[in-house]
Amino acid sequence: MSGYGRTDSEWDELVDVGRNFLVERAKLGKLTSYTELNVTLAGRTGCRPFDFERADERAAMGHLLGLIVERDQQITASDPPVMLSALVNYLGANEAGSGFYQLAKELQLLPMSASADEKFGFWVKQVKRLYERHGGGPAVA
């Protein structure tokens, strides 16, 4: 699991803390941003924050979100699968990033040829399922 200049133990801690934070957000019925997640991870773990000015650090955050989705599936084994990373958006945006959709395709949850409307609909359903699973408030429209 090591890579991106971080140790295995650091990744393990980031995955656990990141998953817990996203579950907290789901319980509140709220989305979060990459920026808020980054600040929370650094504050709760003491690990260095991701530097979003660098492409490799943005990729590392995407890698982390993939690991969080994987860990969440191991813990919950939800059917149909839900992607906890659906709760993370770009600051000021109301939709997931391209990495979310790519992972959904890799997990065969979204067709490779999905249109923009299909992607958005998939994301909305994921968020609603996460809120329902964790008892969160109203989902996005």
Side-chain angles (χ1 to χ4, degrees):
M1 196 182 344
S2 65
Y4 297 102
R6 296 178 189 264
T7 64
D8 287 346
S9 61
E10 196 173 0
W11 280 115
D12 283 339
E13 186 175 15
L14 289 167
V15 169
D16 287 340
V17 171
R19 181 185 176 276
N20 290 339
F21 174 67
L22 293 178
V23 168
E24 289 169 16
R25 299 305 291 176
K27 286 178 180 177
L28 293 171
K30 297 189 180 243
L31 301 173
T32 190
S33 67
Y34 288 97
T35 302
E36 182 180 30
L37 175 60
N38 195 26
V39 168
T40 301
L41 288 170
R44 292 184 183 182
T45 66
C47 296
R48 68 176 169 79
F50 293 89
D51 179 358
F52 294 145
E53 296 294 316
R54 295 177 38 185
D56 63 326
E57 289 283 294
R58 291 190 302 274
M61 175 59 85
H63 176 70
L64 173 62
L65 288 170
L67 294 172
I68 290 171
V69 168
E70 183 179 303
R71 176 82 47 90
D72 189 57
Q73 276 300 302
Q74 291 169 350
I75 293 169
T76 64
S78 62
D79 188 27
V82 290
M83 297 173 61
L84 207 46
S85 61
L87 300 177
V88 184
N89 295 337
Y90 293 114
L91 199 57
N94 191 30
E95 186 176 4
S98 60
F100 169 78
Y101 297 113
Q102 184 57 43
L103 181 58
K105 290 176 182 180
E106 290 170 15
L107 296 173
Q108 299 180 338
L109 301 175
L110 190 63
M112 287 294 192
S113 61
S115 68
D117 286 344
E118 288 172 316
K119 289 177 184 178
F120 185 75
F122 172 78
W123 171 71
V124 168
K125 285 180 187 170
Q126 288 288 299
V127 171
K128 284 182 179 181
R129 287 181 182 146
L130 286 163
Y131 290 168
E132 290 166 3
R133 180 172 93 182
H134 295 287
V140 292

